[in-house]
Amino acid sequence: MYQATLSRRSYRFSDLRQLMAKASPARSGDYLAEVAADSAEERMAARIALAEVPLKTFLQQLLVPYEQDEVTRLIIDSHDALAFAPISHLTVGDFRDWLLSEQADSAMLAQVAAGITPEMAAAVSKLMRNQDLILVAKKCRVITRFRNTIGLPGHLSVRLQPNHPTDSLQGIAASMLDGLLYGSGDAVVGINPASDSLPLLEKLNYMLDDVIQRFAIPTQSCVLTHVTNTLRLIERGAPVDLVFQSITGTEAANSGFGINLALLAEAQQAALSLNRGTLGHNVMYFETGQGSCLSSNAHHGVDQQTCEARAYAVARHFSPLLINTVVGFIGPEYLYDGKQIIRAGLEDHFCGKLLGLPLGCDVCYTNHAEADQDDMDTLLTLLATAGLTFLIGVPGADDIMLNYQSTSFHDALYIRELLGLKHAPEFADWLTRMHITDDLGRLRDTAANHPLLLALQGEQP
């Protein structure tokens, strides 16, 4: 039992799960799950009580039962007690103060990352203002490599997302060309296919590989299909760079996605066996999003933000090149408006970075949410200030296959110019060699005889 008194009223919370849920900022998904605080006063009382909880408690009082959930078992069995030692004496409130202190610099945060559980990260985030989430995330340094180097301080990468509603190779190639000529694509060139047809998926892999190899682009490709399809593509000899999968924070929700930890491990080993990376061996790409556990009725009464943080434990186990929260994609049933989407994006980025992950964000919303592109401008600017690893680049910010609003190649130009952020260094060198940017990283005018334009027309450069 946890309790706190506020305005002469005593609030009681039956267990740690309820305390965490009641302390969460208001969001529609938690109201839908009937776990949210009934009032702002009850929410504040829960935060007061949560601040007094020792971090060690999260290793003893498990929100999802150990016997029922392989994600819980992964969190507990892989916990690094030595990394946890420097902060093991702290309460959640003390942990917040420590994170904001000068003592918690980049080196120290990297040292303790393996000792922080997702529940600890989620708990402390509930006590933090937006500026706190930004400041701490900014101090976290997470660098990954495959064919280039992602996550360096002062850098921001972009996933080039050239989706097409009928998987037209020509349409995808046109969007891909558009993104490359705007300097996007250093995180990955990643296609969400409309079809699960294995022959078509194979064609998409070969097309992406052909462009990357023909122009010696220091980046990686990914066809974002189910992990079982990717395994079959690898068996067929397709040129697979990264293995993609959507993941969640509970075993039951992952089962709903048709995956488990063993399957992800098999896919990781299959991708590693191809040895296609030139600079590193981070071969996994994961996507997450608040609300996925609730939408599959697999949340165990845990609030949606804590469930999201638990998904990061799954990702951390597989050392991904990239992971991003598709923050507003699931819809207003889980994040109702721009305010809730902005807060969720900052929470997700903070928790992921604190746990040692190369976290990016699909700064996005669906057209039936109470949000607009101004809200996305705000979130993008805040996340980039916080050291965002990568964002999404979609032509015109309007994904014509997935039917949602994201960020555009122009948005990447805006944020790079505003904050002086650079491309991945190897990709920046390629852009200069291809006369897409000048020596200062500024876009050049592209002539009609540019090799990439000629390639789209089927001509030899």
Side-chain angles (χ1 to χ4, degrees), residues 54-85:
L55 291 181
K56 290 179 179 177
T57 302
F58 293 96
L59 300 173
Q60 302 157 355
Q61 298 182 28
L62 307 182
L63 304 188
V64 182
Y66 182 94
E67 299 78 9
Q68 298 177 18
D69 189 90
E70 68 172 1
V71 177
T72 298
R73 293 194 291 275
L74 174 67
I75 292 168
I76 297 302
D77 296 348
S78 64
H79 182 251
D80 189 330
L82 185 61
F84 182 56

Side-chain angles (χ1 to χ4, degrees), residues 161-165 175 178 362-367 373 392-411:
Q161 184 169 299
N163 295 343
H164 192 277
S175 294
D178 189 24
D362 189 345
V363 179
C364 64
Y365 64 102
T366 58
N367 287 314
Q373 214 65 35
I392 308 299
V394 178
D398 183 8
D399 192 299
I400 59 174
M401 196 285 282
L402 293 173
N403 292 311
Y404 78 117
Q405 308 304 310
S406 184
T407 44
S408 70
F409 309 136
H410 298 80
D411 293 326

Side-chain angles (χ1 to χ4, degrees), residues 155-453:
H155 292 66
L156 174 67
S157 294
V158 178
R159 171 190 161 188
L160 203 173
Q161 184 169 299
N163 295 343
H164 192 277
T166 64
D167 291 330
S168 162
L169 296 183
Q170 186 175 17
I172 289 170
S175 294
M176 183 176 176
L177 169 68
D178 189 24
L180 289 171
L181 292 177
Y182 276 109
S184 292
D186 50 342
V188 63
V189 181
I191 301 170
N192 297 93
S195 170
D196 281 332
S197 163
L198 207 63
L200 176 59
L201 298 175
E202 193 168 27
K203 286 181 181 179
L204 293 175
N205 270 281
Y206 276 105
M207 184 199 76
L208 292 176
D209 185 62
D210 175 65
V211 175
I212 289 173
Q213 298 301 328
R214 189 191 317 184
F215 296 101
I217 309 175
T219 191
Q220 36 284 326
S221 67
C222 185
V223 176
L224 282 69
T225 186
H226 193 270
V227 63
T228 53
N229 288 332
T230 305
L231 276 168
R232 293 167 66 191
L233 290 169
I234 292 173
E235 291 170 357
R236 291 165 66 117
V240 173
D241 287 344
L242 304 182
V243 173
F244 167 80
Q245 183 55 48
S246 295
I247 57 174
T248 71
T250 69
E251 178 180 346
N254 282 326
S255 296
F257 282 173
I259 62 167
N260 55 39
L261 298 179
L263 180 61
L264 294 177
E266 179 186 354
Q268 181 187 35
Q269 291 306 309
L272 287 170
S273 71
L274 300 179
N275 199 31
R276 292 177 57 82
T278 55
L279 295 183
H281 303 288
N282 300 114
V283 297
M284 305 299 282
Y285 175 21
F286 296 118
E287 285 188 345
T288 65
Q290 288 194 29
S292 56
C293 289
L294 174 57
S295 66
S296 58
N297 195 30
H299 58 96
H300 296 270
V302 177
D303 66 272
Q304 69 180 38
Q305 189 252 335
T306 302
C307 285
E308 170 72 5
R310 283 169 55 89
Y312 302 156
V314 176
R316 181 166 64 175
H317 185 65
F318 295 102
S319 303
L321 179 76
L322 305 164
I323 170 176
N324 69 273
T325 168
V326 193
V327 64
F329 182 74
I330 302 182
E333 299 85 357
Y334 307 99
L335 295 170
Y336 178 71
D337 57 15
K339 181 180 177 66
Q340 292 187 12
I341 292 171
I342 289 167
R343 174 68 189 191
L346 294 176
E347 289 170 346
D348 295 351
H349 181 253
F350 163 83
C351 289
K353 285 294 183 65
L354 195 62
L355 293 169
L357 286 168
L359 207 97
C361 183
D362 189 345
V363 179
C364 64
Y365 64 102
T366 58
N367 287 314
H368 61 309
E370 291 296 321
D372 58 29
Q373 214 65 35
D374 286 338
D375 294 315
M376 299 306 102
D377 287 349
T378 299
L379 179 54
L380 170 60
T381 305
L382 293 175
L383 284 171
T385 303
L388 183 69
T389 303
F390 73 104
L391 70 151
I392 308 299
V394 178
D398 183 8
D399 192 299
I400 59 174
M401 196 285 282
L402 293 173
N403 292 311
Y404 78 117
Q405 308 304 310
S406 184
T407 44
S408 70
F409 309 136
H410 298 80
D411 293 326
L413 294 177
Y414 146 73
I415 203 64
R416 283 199 171 110
E417 181 176 349
L418 178 70
L419 300 178
L421 300 171
K422 302 176 182 178
H423 302 84
E426 301 84 0
F427 193 81
D429 291 343
W430 178 81
L431 291 173
T432 303
R433 292 197 307 272
M434 292 293 291
H435 302 286
I436 295 172
T437 60
D438 62 20
D439 292 339
L440 298 177
R442 299 173 300 196
L443 282 181
R444 293 175 178 266
D445 290 334
T446 304
N449 63 347
H450 191 280
L452 287 171
L453 288 169

